[in-house]
Amino acid sequence: MILNFSILESGNVSLIVYDISGKEVSKLIDGFYAPGNYAIKWNAIDYYGSQLSSGIYVYQLKTKNSILSNRMILIR
């Protein structure tokens, strides 16, 4: 699954995936990004290297001035 996003101002950015209960399952990015458009591949693997099961997940993109959360459905 590909997650596309845009950064308007340079700064630290994090992109974290949570399961439906709110448990953090994966941190896709955590670092400094310049303005621009980006695409990050989510391989649906948790911190322990295990494949995540089908279901609803929430991703949260935090930038210098905003927080965006959205749901996504993983179907295996």
Side-chain angles (χ1 to χ4, degrees):
M1 179 176 292
I2 303 295
L3 301 173
N4 296 300
F5 61 96
S6 298
I7 303 297
L8 300 177
E9 293 184 46
S10 296
N12 289 322
V13 176
S14 67
L15 181 58
I16 301 172
V17 179
Y18 300 90
D19 65 15
I20 196 65
S21 69
K23 178 183 171 191
E24 185 176 316
V25 295
S26 183
K27 186 177 283 188
L28 302 178
I29 61 172
D30 188 19
F32 187 86
Y33 278 73
N37 298 315
Y38 297 91
I40 300 294
K41 183 177 180 180
W42 181 48
N43 56 8
I45 302 291
D46 67 11
Y47 285 121
Y48 306 106
S50 301
Q51 286 191 350
L52 295 169
S53 59
S54 295
I56 298 172
Y57 293 86
V58 176
Y59 63 87
Q60 185 177 68
L61 177 68
K62 291 183 183 179
T63 64
K64 180 179 177 181
N65 295 320
S66 66
I67 298 174
L68 169 72
S69 297
N70 208 347
R71 291 179 298 193
M72 59 186 163
I73 298 174
L74 174 63
I75 300 173
R76 293 233 179 240

